[in-house]
C-alpha cells in the first residue's frame, strides 16, 4: 500500500511539473512570448495595473532599417513578470503622412506609460526624433486602456 501511495504521489508531481510553465531565465537564449515569438520591446518600461504588468517597448525589425521605427510600440502583459502575453502594437507609426511626428522611418524610442487619475487615461511618453536626430522632441499619446490602442497627440 505504501509503495502504491508513493507511486501515485510521484505520478502527480510529474503531472504538475509537466503542466507548470518555465519560471527561470536562461541567459543568452530567446525569451519567447505566449505565441513562442521572441519578445520585441526594446528600450521600454513596465507599468503595473492591478495584478497585471504591462511592458512597452520599441518594436525593432531586422536589418539597417531596424533602428528606425517601422512598426511602433509593442505591448506585452504578464501576471508574474516572466510569462508574457503579446498584446500587439499599442502605438502604430503612421505609414505615409510625412507631416506626422511618428511617420514610418522616424525615431521612436524609450516609451514609458503612466496612468493619469485626473483624466482616467493611460499616457505614453516617448523620445520622438527625425531619422537624423535633429528634432529632439518628447511625444505623448493617450489611451483608455493600458494595452492601447494609443492616440498620438504630439
Amino acid at each position: 500500500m505504501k509503495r502504491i501511495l508513493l507511486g501515485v504521489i510521484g505520478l502527480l508531481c510529474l503531472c504538475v511539473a509537466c503542466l507548470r510553465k518555465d519560471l527561470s531565465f536562461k541567459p543568452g537564449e530567446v525569451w519567447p512570448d505566449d505565441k513562442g515569438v521572441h519578445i520585441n520591446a526594446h528600450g521600454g518600461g513596465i507599468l503595473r495595473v492591478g495584478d497585471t504588468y504591462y511592458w512597452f517597448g520599441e518594436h525593432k525589425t531586422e536589418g539597417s532599417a531596424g533602428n528606425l521605427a517601422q512598426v511602433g510600440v509593442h505591448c506585452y502583459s504578464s501576471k508574474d513578470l516572466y510569462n508574457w502575453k503579446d498584446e500587439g502594437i499599442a502605438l502604430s507609426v503612421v505609414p505615409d503622412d510625412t507631416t506626422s511626428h511618428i511617420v514610418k522611418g522616424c525615431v521612436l524610442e524609450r516609451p514609458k506609460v503612466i496612468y493619469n487619475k485626473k483624466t482616467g487615461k493611460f499616457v505614453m511618453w516617448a523620445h520622438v526624433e527625425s531619422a537624423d536626430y535633429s528634432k529632439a522632441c518628447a511625444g505623448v499619446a493617450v489611451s483608455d486602456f493600458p494595452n492601447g490602442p494609443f492616440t498620438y497627440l504630439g
Side-chain angles (χ1 to χ4, degrees):
M1 184 64 165
K2 188 176 183 180
R3 190 178 286 180
I4 292 173
L5 183 60
L6 286 174
V8 169
I9 290 172
L11 187 58
L12 286 173
C13 288
L14 182 61
C15 289
V16 168
C18 289
L19 293 174
R20 185 176 159 246
K21 291 185 177 183
D22 191 8
L23 294 176
S24 64
F25 290 89
K26 295 177 180 66
E29 291 187 16
V30 170
W31 189 2
D33 63 18
D34 63 318
K35 297 175 183 172
V37 178
H38 188 252
I39 293 171
N40 193 342
H42 303 269
I46 295 177
L47 171 72
R48 183 174 161 207
V49 180
D51 66 346
T52 304
Y53 297 90
Y54 293 89
W55 182 358
F56 302 89
E58 306 158 36
H59 182 101
K60 296 287 191 180
T61 58
E62 290 186 46
S64 60
N67 287 330
L68 301 176
Q70 303 297 318
V71 180
V73 176
H74 213 125
C75 179
Y76 297 87
S77 65
S78 176
K79 301 284 186 185
D80 61 9
L81 293 172
Y82 183 78
N83 297 291
W84 292 93
K85 176 184 174 193
D86 183 353
E87 295 284 347
I89 302 301
L91 176 65
S92 296
V93 295
V94 178
D96 299 319
D97 182 1
T98 57
T99 63
S100 173
H101 292 167
I102 59 168
V103 66
K104 183 176 180 180
C106 72
V107 173
L108 179 59
E109 299 177 323
R110 298 182 290 283
K112 306 298 183 273
V113 176
I114 60 172
Y115 179 71
N116 184 327
K117 284 184 187 178
K118 260 187 170 176
T119 64
K121 302 272 187 190
F122 292 90
V123 182
M124 179 184 293
W125 292 85
H127 175 206
V128 178
E129 274 286 358
S130 53
D132 66 357
Y133 281 86
S134 63
K135 188 177 290 189
C137 294
V140 179
V142 295
S143 175
D144 292 326
F145 307 99
N147 56 344
F150 281 79
T151 301
Y152 187 73
L153 301 179

